[in-house]
Amino acid sequence: MSQPSAQVLFEILAREHTDRLMSYLRATSIDASAADDIFQETMLRAWRRLGDYDHQRPFGPWLRGIAKYVVLEHYRARQQIASEPLLEAVAAQVTQFEGPAGTDFRERLDELQACVDKLTEPYATAIDLAYRNGQPIAQIAEQVKENIETVKKRMQRARAMIAECLHRKGLFA
Amino acid sequence: MNQREENINAGEIDLQSHARDLCVHALLVTRNELPIMGERRMQRLAQCLHQQHTTGFAWGRFARTGGGLLAVAALLIAAFVSGPQQVNAADRARAIATQERASSDRRVMFLLTPPGKDSDRPLLSGTLDVRDAKHIVLMLRMPHGAEEIRGRNGDTSWSIDPRGVVHTEPCDRPWPVWIQSPRGGLIVDMAEMLETGLQPGWQWSRNLESNLDPGTELLQATRAQGAPVEPNKISVMIDSLSGKVKRMEISWAEKHMPIIGADGQMRRGGERGWREDGMPPPRGGVIPMGAPGSIVIVPEPAITFTADWFTAEHYAKKIIP
């Protein structure tokens, strides 16, 4: 077999773990474009260090271990301070959410959607406009005729309700 | 509890709730991201990997669990215990097929390369979950993000199309030629394909050359003649120590590949072939039925499926809200 096949194989693994890794990176408070750059850098480092990976262990946490250092470097380069305990707490939540080996991450995301569907008004609309329509908070505030701070608090409350729902399903710590 | 402990606990609770909030936000963004964004991300990664194609990288080390000692041990075993003079390649393939067949629940990931020599073509990926010949689930992801799932649970065959509609299928519904092996099993089931290669007409060879990773051996089977839509080459990378398959690549002869032109017209081969750009045909279902360029198969770590894993309901409830 030729060497390019190794790249192809790695791409399979990368595809399987894209959503998990991007979820972790987005949760580390990085803006969207930086998250994409860090995703690329993490995957390239994983590719170079694949020989160190223990096949008997799950791939996701190993990948997030690499990602954590790339995130820390990202903050350091911008002279910002990253909270390592927070990064650890985020990683632990993502690990719990992704479940044991063999679990379909999309299935887990569908469980998340089921929690979203249980939201009542005005939380459901806030989440819908922000995440499904991708509208900025200022625009949502204008649309629902509330001030920005109220919308922010509403969304935070909605996320807390979703987190509680996921906790009850055993998907969140 | 003293004041300091209370403060620490309060801080931990605050940290945890902050982490939960960030995670829910992140997961909502991921859940609502358009598939095309993920595809662009993967294309960018593929380009980066291609540009800096690492010389000396050894995929085979991927499956190595120990350090140098294990690698050396594997190399010694490969060189002195099971060298090419002592073990016939076909016998080796037969032993590995038996070992693969003996395992119960197993999952492989596979990546399908459409026919043609253009390396920029989109790739189709998927997974195959197998318990036995009558308990199978195939999940195929197209480059544009659509998914099709086909499965068999005992005597019931089913499929779920990209719209999430469940169909009951006749058990004799044909699979694409890159799924159904010439023996009637599934090509992406490694045991099946090894046994296919043990049929008359195939020639096995064994490679323990130094350009392979320590503890790795390569078995290859080729055949000069065969049915037009059947594969003509099987390459199996094996861990010499455990005898487990690390990866398998199955290839089809270029001249036999059916192609559908950009105009939707078939150039060669049977119905529902591949379009020249590697995307599915404009009509007649999502899964291309014709012969691809190759399939690369990688086994996943040990897994145990739940009782309902092979039922359509298990997947339908995920797809249909």
Side-chain angles (χ1 to χ4, degrees):
Chain A
M1 274 179 273
S2 59
Q3 190 75 353
S5 290
Q7 181 185 321
V8 165
L9 293 166
F10 182 74
E11 283 177 38
I12 299 178
L13 265 180
R15 269 177 194 278
E16 289 292 317
H17 287 269
T18 293
D19 283 346
R20 299 158 205 240
L21 182 58
M22 281 306 292
S23 297
Y24 171 71
L25 294 176
R26 285 171 178 137
T28 53
S29 303
I30 294 164
D31 64 85
S33 62
D36 252 327
D37 289 343
I38 291 173
F39 171 87
Q40 299 293 333
E41 179 59 26
T42 301
M43 284 297 187
L44 289 175
R45 287 190 194 185
W47 160 252
R48 288 194 290 261
R49 291 170 46 186
L50 206 53
D52 300 332
Y53 168 58
D54 180 350
H55 188 227
Q56 300 302 314
R57 291 173 169 272
F59 189 67
W62 181 73
L63 203 55
R64 284 194 289 280
I66 295 172
K68 183 184 137 184
Y69 288 101
V70 184
V71 169
L72 289 172
E73 284 171 18
H74 172 85
Y75 278 112
R76 214 173 292 131
R78 280 151 191 78
Q79 296 183 326
Q80 295 171 333
I81 298 168
S83 163
E84 278 204 58
L86 183 62
L87 292 184
E88 293 291 343
V90 164
Q93 290 287 7
V94 174
T95 300
Q96 171 129 3
F97 184 81
E98 75 176 346
T103 306
D104 187 339
F105 195 70
R106 279 277 147 195
E107 183 180 355
R108 295 288 174 136
L109 290 174
D110 290 343
E111 293 288 346
L112 170 84
Q113 186 59 44
C115 289
V116 171
D117 293 341
K118 285 181 185 165
L119 289 177
T120 53
E121 292 301 343
Y123 305 107
T125 297
I127 291 293
D128 199 48
L129 294 176
Y131 292 101
R132 203 164 71 169
N133 292 5
Q135 290 178 222
I137 288 183
Q139 203 178 84
I140 298 171
E142 199 178 320
Q143 190 169 336
V144 299
K145 296 182 173 51
E146 296 280 4
N147 65 49
I148 290 175
E149 280 309 310
T150 302
V151 172
K152 275 186 184 174
K153 283 194 175 122
R154 194 172 284 172
M155 285 176 52
Q156 198 173 19
R157 176 76 189 120
R159 287 195 297 266
M161 287 190 239
I162 295 167
E164 189 52 36
C165 172
L166 291 173
H167 176 67
R168 283 195 300 273
K169 288 170 181 252
L171 303 184
F172 256 26
Chain B
M1 186 185 295
N2 61 34
Q3 188 61 44
R4 178 177 155 70
E5 284 173 330
E6 279 179 9
N7 288 343
I8 289 171
N9 286 344
E12 281 175 358
I13 290 166
D14 194 42
L15 179 78
Q16 288 304 325
S17 78
H18 188 30
R20 279 162 59 136
D21 185 55
L22 290 170
C23 283
V24 171
H25 161 75
L27 292 166
L28 284 168
V29 174
T30 301
R31 175 68 173 76
N32 289 284
E33 187 178 55
L34 293 173
I36 187 68
M37 300 303 292
E39 200 50 47
R40 282 183 191 154
R41 193 170 293 125
M42 286 310 301
Q43 283 176 1
R44 185 179 163 201
L45 176 64
Q47 282 172 355
C48 288
L49 288 171
H50 183 71
Q51 281 167 8
Q52 63 141 25
H53 190 242
T54 318
T55 53
F57 167 75
W59 170 266
R61 286 183 295 165
F62 171 67
R64 207 170 69 201
T65 53
L69 280 175
L70 181 57
V72 171
L75 183 62
L76 288 173
I77 289 168
F80 296 109
V81 178
S82 57
Q85 287 77 27
Q86 285 90 351
V87 182
N88 176 280
D91 288 343
R92 183 79 167 131
R94 191 171 290 109
I96 292 162
T98 304
Q99 182 173 320
E100 285 293 326
R101 189 70 82 190
S103 52
S104 180
D105 289 356
R106 54 196 187 273
R107 164 177 285 180
V108 296
M109 294 185 292
F110 62 87
L111 194 135
L112 199 62
T113 307
K117 292 177 178 170
D118 182 358
S119 59
D120 293 332
R121 285 166 184 274
L123 298 166
L124 293 89
S125 61
T127 55
L128 176 75
D129 295 343
V130 180
R131 174 163 289 162
D132 52 46
K134 287 193 167 185
H135 293 87
I136 295 160
V137 172
L138 172 78
M139 192 176 293
L140 181 73
R141 295 189 185 94
M142 308 301 289
H144 48 63
E147 286 187 347
E148 182 161 330
I149 309 172
R150 291 181 66 172
R152 182 170 184 187
N153 183 34
D155 292 326
T156 307
S157 290
W158 52 268
S159 69
I160 301 176
D161 67 25
R163 295 165 298 156
V165 179
V166 181
H167 306 271
T168 302
E169 302 285 353
C171 279
D172 58 352
R173 179 186 165 185
W175 294 80
V177 297
W178 49 271
I179 285 293
Q180 195 144 25
S181 83
R183 285 160 28 98
L186 298 182
I187 278 178
V188 283
D189 181 5
M190 294 188 297
E192 171 67 23
M193 207 52 216
L194 282 164
E195 287 170 4
T196 296
L198 291 166
Q199 301 301 303
W202 289 85
Q203 293 291 321
W204 282 91
S205 63
R206 192 165 180 227
N207 186 345
L208 290 168
E209 296 298 326
S210 56
N211 61 347
L212 292 172
D213 301 318
T216 299
E217 62 181 292
L218 175 64
L219 295 179
Q220 285 186 313
T222 55
R223 63 173 181 171
Q225 291 182 324
V229 293
E230 292 176 10
N232 67 343
K233 185 177 178 185
I234 305 167
S235 302
V236 194
M237 194 78 87
I238 295 157
D239 184 313
S240 302
L241 197 62
S242 65
K244 287 190 177 296
V245 177
K246 290 179 174 183
R247 62 186 165 109
M248 176 183 274
E249 184 168 350
I250 301 159
S251 310
W252 281 256
E254 184 81 20
K255 63 182 178 181
H256 293 317
M257 293 170 186
I259 295 280
I260 289 183
D263 54 1
Q265 296 302 307
M266 194 165 47
R267 299 270 170 84
R268 290 185 300 253
E271 195 181 1
R272 295 174 72 188
W274 297 77
R275 255 173 38 178
E276 285 179 320
D277 58 4
M279 297 295 279
R283 58 180 184 277
V286 168
I287 296 183
M289 300 292 278
S294 65
I295 293 180
V296 174
I297 302 165
V298 189
E300 281 210 340
I303 188 169
T304 302
F305 302 125
T306 55
D308 66 341
W309 196 269
F310 300 95
T311 63
E313 291 75 21
H314 180 76
Y315 298 88
K317 69 187 176 191
K318 292 192 291 182
I319 294 172
I320 304 168

